Amino acid sequence: MAASYQQPGVGGGDSTKSSFSSSDLETPSISSRPLFSGNKRGGDLRGMLDSNKDTLKLEAMKHLIGMIAKGADCSDYFPAVVKNVVAKNTEVKKLVYVYLVRYAEEQQDTALLSISTFQKALKDPNQLIRASALRVLSSIRVPIIAPIMMLSIKESSTDLSPYVRKAAAHAIPKLYNLDPDQKDALVEVIEKLLKDQTTLVAGSVVMAFEMVCPDRIDLVHKNYRKLCTLLVDVDEWGQIVILNMLTRYARTQFINPNREEFKEAAFYPESASEESSSEEGEDESKKAKKKKPVYTMDSDHRLLLKNTKPLLQSRNSAVVMATAQLYHYLAPMEETSIIAKPLIRLLRSHREVQSTVLSTIATITTQRNSLFEPFMKNFFVHSNDPTHIRLLKLEIISNIAGESNIHSILREFRTYVSSSDKEFVTTTIQSIGRVACTIPEVTEVCLHGLTALLSNKDEMVVGEAVVVIKKLIQLQPKEHKDLIVHVAKLVDSVTVPMARASILWLIGEYCHLIPKIAPDVLRKAAKTFTAEEDIVKLQIVNQAAKLCVTNRKQTKLLFEYILNLAKYDQNYDIRDRARFLHQLVVPDDETALSKHAKKILLANKPASVLESSYTARGAWRIGSLSHIINNEAAGYIPLPHFPEEPPDPTVRNVEDDMFYSKVQKKKRKSFYSESDESSSEEESGSSSYSSEASSSGKSSGTGTESGSGEETEEESSEETEESSSSTDAGEVLANLKQKFSKKQPKKSETESSSSEGESSSEESESDGPDQPTSKLLSQKAATAAAVTTKAGKSQESTLLFFDDWENTVPTNQPPSSSLPLGNNLLKQNPSEIHPTTNSSTSSVYKIVPPTFKPSNSTELLNRIKGQGLAAEYKFTRRAHVYSPKMAAIEVTFMNKSDGTLSGISIGSKRLQSGMAIKDIPQLTQLASGGSISVTMGIDFNDTLQPAKFDLCVFPDKKFPVQIQPMVGELIQAIEMTYEEFTKQQGKLSGMNENSDKVGCHSSAADIEHIKNTVLQRANLCFIDSSNTNSLHFAAITLSSQALVLATIKLMDGGVKITVNCEKIVIGSMLVKDIKEALGK
């Protein structure tokens, strides 16, 4: 806020960054000097200040201000300057006050002589003089003048000029620091200034509020809506202060929108709860309804989020950070995605800003890693990044790692470990360990990569790799016996203390797996015991004790030798450990404790938890100094917890609030609503319902997942604000619902052209089943008419249409049922819809039909949960016609209820990044006992994440379902020669290769059975070869067209399964899937 003290045209600019030296005073020409050159002798300046001419005084003051701007000490001129406080020239007086503000605190005695002059200046006609006089008066830090300052502040707080009132707000914290006993009187002034309706004062008075009485939340109640409205027009630094204050205020006045019970209530529809309790009786279902919490956002809460959203586009990085903080702590989970892009934009700023933003993102990703997953490439390390920026980016990449992006992240890590920055390399190795623990599918791949680092020439790299390998081996020690042996061989070459301690701990903990190697390692460690670091000595003593209880015959004497060395060690921890283990393992008299020595020393120990170091920083407010230094800084105000029950919202109501009801209405409507209405009208066309709803800012919500519920809340918010009444949000929602239910669609909607029909059908699909009954039926009729008209116009549209409606002929349909789809729809020839691809991979290899097609279906929706609607699905092992990246899935709907079901469609989707769904056409009717099959397309983006969506039934039923892919269904079989197979397999070695063994019959008679088992489990193509001991299969992934090469090698007592694929998750999961199939 210091910038607000500066006068226009005085002492500003970049000259404050220059340094002052004696050479600056030696330039002879005055006319050639810049304004603030400061080149003037001391005697000359004093003579000019004592002169009767205002021009000389003004020249002298300009030189003094210039010298101050360059950092020179000009306090010696204070007596000569203070005399000119009574000058009649306004320009001279302005500069005199600028000088006095700087030195009044240092020259208090001299400044006190002019107190009467300053008080007189408070009545000056010029607002700048009045404000400057108050600044000088508040800069004299003498307790005796505190009453005078208090009177001046009270008088200035009622000044007609907002500039003077702003200066009064700045003076409040100064007086409070000088005399805390004045707090009560200052709070009254703050309360008065908070009611100020000018943007110039708002930021300054909120800063005074935060410094004097931050706990007086009651002062904010009546001014909350006004501050939200003025926020966009306040100066940037004022916006930061107000945002921080409103964040604290909202945490005390609104309930948490992300509480678990609200999430469950929002996820499961009311119809599902009614159906599940229908068997228990109607009374119980009503009780269950009453008990279920339903979250309705407070209109003032919505007002805050809506008015702060434009600030994410601010040019000031601190404003963007404060707004992102507000959304992070106050917004519903589905609305926080809008803060990602603004924070990514700040990464193009200076390194200081980058560091702060990256620290904030690192903390956010520990709680919501999917928020920044689409922007992963922005966190890749550049060669010119400093080390601290590199480490922060590495932290973020590790936090957002998932199945969909792990192969890209591991490729980045493989590059990072070859960097010359050793601190960066060691942190990268730790990140590899974290990723391996987080994603079990790549644990083996990471272990192979870390094992390769054990041959690195740098000891720090080897040491860190050993430490991480030790933590990963703890997860599955029995499966990594060979790796333990390999690590044990490094005990002679590794010198890093932490790495040597990790090796010794591994050998001691799993000595039963390597009984021949462990004693020899202990023998070598005993030789160098006296020269080792303390942490290594402790592990040597522990290892000796563990070996003694498991192999006493070979290691007892060695154990006693090590104990004798430890008894006389300088470190008391080592001496105490030696005495304790001696009495536990080889006591003089056998005790009850010594009998259980083996159980105590070799008890199962939990694996080390590799988690982000920024998880603990979530306790501090993101963006604060305490968050950056990970410790409480002076003046830190913690964020309060949300209340369990919402406080009374009527405390924010203001009677006869002319500003809020009129000024705010005109201003905010022009800022938000005009553009929103125009864009909404363009989207809605002739729909009366859409044009009615456009006034709530429908277009401004595009791209978010808030849905129509948020728009309704915004409408209720605006109505509540305009009427300035305390109408409950639930009543407003009910009124709006009743209002829209009375709306009847225009007749022209059903008689519109085919293009209008298509647009209305698209709108109806996006709106879902929440729209009015009459509108829904009219739009479906228009859709059917449009499709019928358009069916014969072009081959492309016909293909798309028939792909959507393929296999929709009802089966087991009673004669009485009449589907509008009819049985007269032409069926496509399967050869015509054979999937084609456009990638380079698929252009080289020919896609072949699957050898086996799945016959078993998987339940999608149970008839109990679906209230009579049952659904099941199965993969067809072919690409969808809509897109070659989509898997075609046959979905069968069955009506198990007594009545007819209508309007069956797909509602809202909850998909991972990169996934997509091609909707099924809406099923207009499904008679009781009937069934119908449709084909839908899903692009799983080469991941095994489920596709989650809602099945909607007219009028308002929603059933959450999900389709879980099998890895064998995400690939397409391709033809390939054995020579090409061998060539491509060689290119996909190393981290792209996954293998495992399984015990099964592997005789020549069983080869055909193994081949069929593999082809049934996965959509692969068998490749003929002269090698009778191996089976080879090839395919490509649907989404990225990546090669998938599988080899089954016959061995004694079993087979070895090897899969080569650059998609690491696909490869590792396919190995497990084939292993499971062959194991049966």
Side-chain angles (χ1 to χ4, degrees), residues 253-403:
Q253 299 300 311
F254 308 127
I255 57 176
N256 186 1
N258 298 313
R259 275 160 62 173
E260 291 299 326
E261 54 266 34
F262 294 154
K263 293 180 183 178
E264 293 174 4
F267 186 80
Y268 294 101
E270 291 184 6
S271 57
S273 64
E274 291 176 8
E275 186 276 331
S276 62
S277 59
S278 61
E279 298 178 359
E280 300 177 5
E282 191 174 0
D283 295 337
E284 294 184 5
S285 66
K286 291 181 179 179
K287 292 180 180 178
K289 268 189 174 182
K290 291 180 180 179
K291 292 181 180 179
K292 177 185 287 188
V294 178
Y295 174 68
T296 302
M297 181 176 286
D298 190 287
S299 58
D300 288 327
H301 193 173
R302 172 59 60 193
L303 175 68
L304 176 61
L305 295 177
K306 184 177 180 180
N307 283 16
T308 54
K309 185 177 179 180
L311 298 183
L312 289 172
Q313 308 303 322
S314 174
R315 62 182 180 180
N316 190 305
S317 56
V319 175
V320 177
M321 282 288 295
T323 310
Q325 173 196 233
L326 184 142
Y327 264 81
H328 175 66
Y329 288 121
L330 300 179
M333 192 77 71
E334 60 272 12
E335 295 185 34
T336 56
S337 58
I338 64 173
I339 70 173
K341 283 187 178 180
L343 289 178
I344 294 296
R345 174 171 57 86
L346 296 183
L347 296 181
R348 304 188 186 98
S349 303
H350 303 293
R351 288 179 178 176
E352 295 80 4
V353 177
Q354 284 186 44
S355 179
T356 304
V357 174
L358 288 172
S359 298
T360 299
I361 294 176
T363 302
I364 294 175
T365 51
T366 59
Q367 305 168 15
R368 307 173 184 178
N369 56 355
S370 61
L371 200 61
F372 292 91
E373 189 175 343
F375 309 97
M376 180 186 66
K377 292 185 179 179
N378 290 277
F379 305 113
F380 285 172
V381 174
H382 301 291
S383 58
N384 59 344
D385 285 338
T387 302
H388 72 282
I389 297 293
R390 293 183 177 191
L391 299 184
L392 285 169
K393 288 185 175 181
L394 199 58
E395 186 74 30
I396 296 170
I397 293 175
S398 303
N399 290 343
I400 64 177
E403 290 185 3

Side-chain angles (χ1 to χ4, degrees), residues 575-875:
R575 297 196 301 269
D576 292 346
R577 181 73 61 86
R579 294 188 181 96
F580 165 70
L581 291 176
H582 181 272
Q583 294 300 321
L584 179 64
V585 179
V586 285
D588 298 333
D589 298 323
E590 187 173 354
T591 61
L593 191 62
S594 62
K595 294 178 181 179
H596 303 285
K598 185 174 181 179
K599 293 182 179 180
I600 294 173
L601 294 174
L602 297 177
N604 290 331
K605 300 172 180 64
S608 301
V609 178
L610 298 174
E611 63 178 11
S612 172
S613 59
Y614 277 77
T615 304
R617 298 201 184 196
W620 311 107
R621 290 178 66 174
I622 58 173
S624 64
L625 178 60
S626 299
H627 174 261
I628 299 297
I629 65 177
N630 198 21
N631 204 347
E632 185 171 350
Y636 174 75
I637 302 177
L639 205 61
H641 296 290
F642 281 107
E644 291 296 327
E645 297 295 333
D648 183 14
T650 59
V651 295
R652 290 182 291 277
N653 292 340
V654 182
E655 297 180 1
D656 300 329
D657 189 350
M658 301 300 294
F659 173 81
Y660 190 74
S661 60
K662 294 184 179 181
V663 179
Q664 180 266 352
K665 178 179 177 181
K666 295 178 182 178
K667 192 171 186 178
R668 286 181 67 250
K669 289 285 184 179
S670 62
F671 188 82
Y672 292 105
S673 300
E674 290 178 2
S675 60
D676 294 346
E677 285 182 3
S678 60
S679 59
S680 295
E681 289 173 0
E682 291 175 3
E683 292 179 2
S684 61
S686 60
S687 172
S688 61
Y689 173 70
S690 299
S691 62
E692 288 282 347
S694 64
S695 61
S696 65
K698 180 178 179 181
S699 64
S700 65
T702 305
T704 66
E705 299 176 6
S706 55
S708 59
E710 290 180 8
E711 296 168 7
T712 309
E713 290 172 10
E714 291 176 11
E715 292 173 1
S716 65
S717 156
E718 291 181 4
E719 289 190 8
T720 308
E721 293 161 7
E722 292 173 6
S723 60
S724 66
S725 64
S726 59
T727 305
D728 185 75
E731 296 177 0
V732 177
L733 287 172
N735 294 336
L736 287 172
K737 224 171 187 181
Q738 185 178 2
K739 173 184 174 182
F740 287 135
S741 64
K742 294 179 181 179
K743 295 288 181 181
Q744 297 296 331
K746 294 180 180 180
K747 186 177 180 181
S748 59
E749 280 187 325
T750 58
E751 301 173 357
S752 60
S753 63
S754 61
S755 60
E756 290 175 345
E758 286 181 353
S759 64
S760 63
S761 68
E762 292 172 1
E763 289 179 3
S764 65
E765 288 176 9
S766 63
D767 291 340
D770 294 332
Q771 41 187 336
T773 304
S774 56
K775 170 155 179 74
L776 181 66
L777 294 177
S778 64
Q779 286 184 340
K780 301 316 163 191
T783 303
V787 171
T788 304
T789 306
K790 202 171 178 63
K793 288 191 176 181
S794 66
Q795 184 177 1
E796 181 181 358
S797 61
T798 305
L799 286 175
L800 291 176
F801 166 73
F802 283 126
D803 176 72
D804 292 345
W805 288 92
E806 185 185 7
N807 298 327
T808 55
V809 179
T811 58
N812 301 326
Q813 188 75 12
S816 60
S817 65
S818 59
L819 286 175
L821 307 179
N823 294 344
N824 57 351
L825 289 176
L826 297 177
K827 301 289 289 183
Q828 265 187 312
N829 189 345
S831 62
E832 295 177 0
I833 61 171
H834 188 75
T836 58
T837 56
N838 55 4
S839 67
S840 59
T841 305
S842 60
S843 63
V844 176
Y845 305 109
K846 180 182 177 182
I847 297 175
V848 297
T851 307
F852 292 93
K853 290 187 178 180
S855 57
N856 297 329
S857 299
T858 305
E859 185 179 69
L860 181 64
L861 179 63
N862 185 275
R863 65 183 183 87
I864 303 299
K865 292 184 178 179
Q867 299 184 22
L869 176 65
E872 57 186 22
Y873 68 92
K874 65 179 179 180
F875 287 83

Side-chain angles (χ1 to χ4, degrees), residues 82-386:
V82 77
K83 290 188 298 183
N84 290 285
V85 75
V86 295
K88 295 182 179 179
N89 187 292
T90 305
E91 296 301 321
V92 174
K93 190 177 291 188
K94 289 179 185 177
L95 295 181
V96 169
Y97 279 120
V98 171
Y99 178 92
L100 293 178
V101 168
R102 171 65 180 82
Y103 289 106
E105 188 173 358
E106 299 178 12
Q107 303 282 341
Q108 295 178 358
D109 295 338
T110 308
L112 285 173
L113 300 176
S114 303
I115 286 290
S116 59
T117 306
F118 300 147
Q119 288 180 288
K120 183 179 179 181
L122 292 173
K123 306 290 186 182
D124 194 277
N126 192 321
Q127 60 176 351
L128 298 179
I129 300 299
R130 298 199 301 272
S132 299
L134 183 59
R135 287 199 193 100
V136 175
L137 196 61
S138 60
S139 299
I140 303 175
R141 305 298 178 87
V142 179
I144 195 173
I145 67 167
I148 299 176
M149 290 174 59
M150 186 69 245
L151 291 174
S152 302
I153 291 173
K154 284 185 176 181
E155 185 177 351
S156 299
S157 65
T158 58
D159 196 281
L160 295 177
S161 169
Y163 188 75
V164 179
R165 299 199 298 272
K166 181 184 182 73
H170 288 167
I172 290 174
K174 297 180 181 179
L175 178 56
Y176 178 71
N177 292 333
L178 182 65
D179 186 7
D181 294 336
Q182 301 282 347
K183 180 178 179 178
D184 294 339
L186 292 175
V187 169
E188 294 180 2
V189 179
I190 291 174
E191 184 177 8
K192 184 189 303 180
L193 289 175
L194 279 172
K195 298 177 182 178
D196 201 297
Q197 298 178 358
T198 58
T199 57
L200 193 63
V201 182
S204 302
V205 68
V206 171
M207 173 59 83
F209 170 81
E210 290 283 86
M211 297 182 70
V212 177
C213 53
D215 55 331
R216 289 290 305 273
I217 296 296
D218 57 292
L219 299 180
V220 185
H221 289 323
K222 301 295 183 182
N223 304 287
Y224 170 81
R225 295 171 183 168
K226 181 198 67 179
L227 290 174
C228 290
T229 306
L230 294 178
L231 190 56
V232 178
D233 300 321
V234 177
D235 63 278
E236 293 173 343
W237 300 112
Q239 288 174 346
I240 299 168
V241 178
I242 296 175
L243 284 169
N244 290 330
M245 187 272 289
L246 291 179
T247 302
R248 282 197 310 109
Y249 177 83
R251 292 275 290 202
T252 62
Q253 299 300 311
F254 308 127
I255 57 176
N256 186 1
N258 298 313
R259 275 160 62 173
E260 291 299 326
E261 54 266 34
F262 294 154
K263 293 180 183 178
E264 293 174 4
F267 186 80
Y268 294 101
E270 291 184 6
S271 57
S273 64
E274 291 176 8
E275 186 276 331
S276 62
S277 59
S278 61
E279 298 178 359
E280 300 177 5
E282 191 174 0
D283 295 337
E284 294 184 5
S285 66
K286 291 181 179 179
K287 292 180 180 178
K289 268 189 174 182
K290 291 180 180 179
K291 292 181 180 179
K292 177 185 287 188
V294 178
Y295 174 68
T296 302
M297 181 176 286
D298 190 287
S299 58
D300 288 327
H301 193 173
R302 172 59 60 193
L303 175 68
L304 176 61
L305 295 177
K306 184 177 180 180
N307 283 16
T308 54
K309 185 177 179 180
L311 298 183
L312 289 172
Q313 308 303 322
S314 174
R315 62 182 180 180
N316 190 305
S317 56
V319 175
V320 177
M321 282 288 295
T323 310
Q325 173 196 233
L326 184 142
Y327 264 81
H328 175 66
Y329 288 121
L330 300 179
M333 192 77 71
E334 60 272 12
E335 295 185 34
T336 56
S337 58
I338 64 173
I339 70 173
K341 283 187 178 180
L343 289 178
I344 294 296
R345 174 171 57 86
L346 296 183
L347 296 181
R348 304 188 186 98
S349 303
H350 303 293
R351 288 179 178 176
E352 295 80 4
V353 177
Q354 284 186 44
S355 179
T356 304
V357 174
L358 288 172
S359 298
T360 299
I361 294 176
T363 302
I364 294 175
T365 51
T366 59
Q367 305 168 15
R368 307 173 184 178
N369 56 355
S370 61
L371 200 61
F372 292 91
E373 189 175 343
F375 309 97
M376 180 186 66
K377 292 185 179 179
N378 290 277
F379 305 113
F380 285 172
V381 174
H382 301 291
S383 58
N384 59 344
D385 285 338

Side-chain angles (χ1 to χ4, degrees), residues 65-83:
I65 299 301
M67 293 166 66
I68 293 172
K70 288 188 174 184
D73 183 11
C74 299
S75 57
D76 294 339
Y77 298 98
F78 193 89
V81 173
V82 77
K83 290 188 298 183

Side-chain angles (χ1 to χ4, degrees), residues 898-918:
D898 297 333
T900 299
L901 298 178
S902 61
I904 302 174
S905 63
I906 291 180
S908 60
K909 309 176 186 70
R910 299 172 294 280
L911 304 177
Q912 296 290 332
S913 176
M915 295 175 60
I917 290 181
K918 179 65 176 72

